[in-house]
Amino acid sequence: MRKHEVSYGGMGYFAALAITLFLAAFVLITVINGGVQMVIYFPIYKIIFPEGEQKKN
C-alpha cells in the first residue's frame, strides 16, 4: 500500500457502503413518489368519490 492510500476494510466495507447508499436512495425515491402521487391523486379521488353528495337521499 502506498503512503497516501487509506484502507477502510477493503471490499467488505465497500459492499456495506454501497448497499447502505442504495437502500437510502431507494427509500428516498419511494417517499418522493408516494408524496407526488398523493398530491396528484387526492383531488381526483375527491372528484370521483364525493362524500358530501350521497347524504341528500
Side-chain angles (χ1 to χ4, degrees):
M1 186 183 323
R2 294 185 199 104
K3 281 195 272 193
H4 63 277
E5 289 180 3
V6 179
S7 176
Y8 291 106
M11 289 304 291
Y13 176 82
F14 179 76
L17 183 65
I19 291 170
T20 303
L21 291 176
F22 176 78
L23 288 177
F26 181 76
V27 168
L28 183 66
I29 290 170
T30 303
V31 168
I32 290 172
N33 281 338
V36 169
Q37 287 181 7
M38 187 171 66
V39 167
I40 292 172
Y41 287 119
F42 184 74
I44 295 173
Y45 283 140
K46 281 299 202 183
I47 293 169
I48 295 174
F49 306 109
E51 290 183 13
E53 301 292 321
Q54 301 151 349
K55 300 193 173 158
K56 289 182 192 171
N57 294 337

